[in-house]
Amino acid sequence: RGREAAVAEITRSIEGEEARVKQSGAVLEESRATLASISEYEAKVRALEAVQERYTVYERELRENTVKLLEYRTYEYFQRLTDQQLYSGCRIDRDSYVLEVQPIGSPRPLPAWRAGGGHESLLALAERLALLRVMEFPHLLVLDEPTDAVDSENVPQLLDYIARTSEEIGQVLLVTHHGYGEEQGVNLITVSKSGAESRVQQGL
């Protein structure tokens, strides 16, 4: 009996060890499955990071190309608006998006708002036309006193270009207190004031 008891004890011990080994094997398999899931997740994260990096580069390149195109179009439109070629090109500051011009013979660009001779108004119009073209929204252009600060020698060319612009853009709305552009107008609306009363008249 002593031997039988010892054999039984050894058998139970072996069975216990086998159960623990089996349990450890199950834990190991579960750990391997978890590790595989983690590795798969990490691979997906790396792939997503790579896509995000490529998108960031693409976004930066698209932004730069769009700004360069806007610079080119702005200068192109400005050249059409005046015969006074004082600048060699236009530049847009990448941080502030302020329009600048490069005076011929000068090493430094000049903010467009400091351009003299009414060129500030011409540059503002050129930039607006360029924006409409670059953004592919040539439907409506609103001009409020576009000739206000323009030199007299540039006014006829400016008005002529505005008239021709109406062929490229769906609708041009021109607001003026001086009657400039009336001869090219299609739908004229006159607002006059008599005392405290404003009167609106359509047509000539």
Side-chain angles (χ1 to χ4, degrees), residues 121-122 125 143-150 158-159 162 174-176:
S121 298
L122 298 180
L125 175 58
L143 301 174
D144 186 8
E145 297 290 355
T147 62
D148 194 35
V150 178
L158 171 60
L159 292 174
I162 291 174
L174 174 64
V175 180
T176 178

Side-chain angles (χ1 to χ4, degrees), residues 117-134:
H119 287 173
E120 176 187 353
S121 298
L122 298 180
L123 286 164
L125 175 58
E127 185 178 32
R128 196 174 307 175
L129 291 168
L131 273 170
L132 290 175
R133 184 60 57 195
V134 170

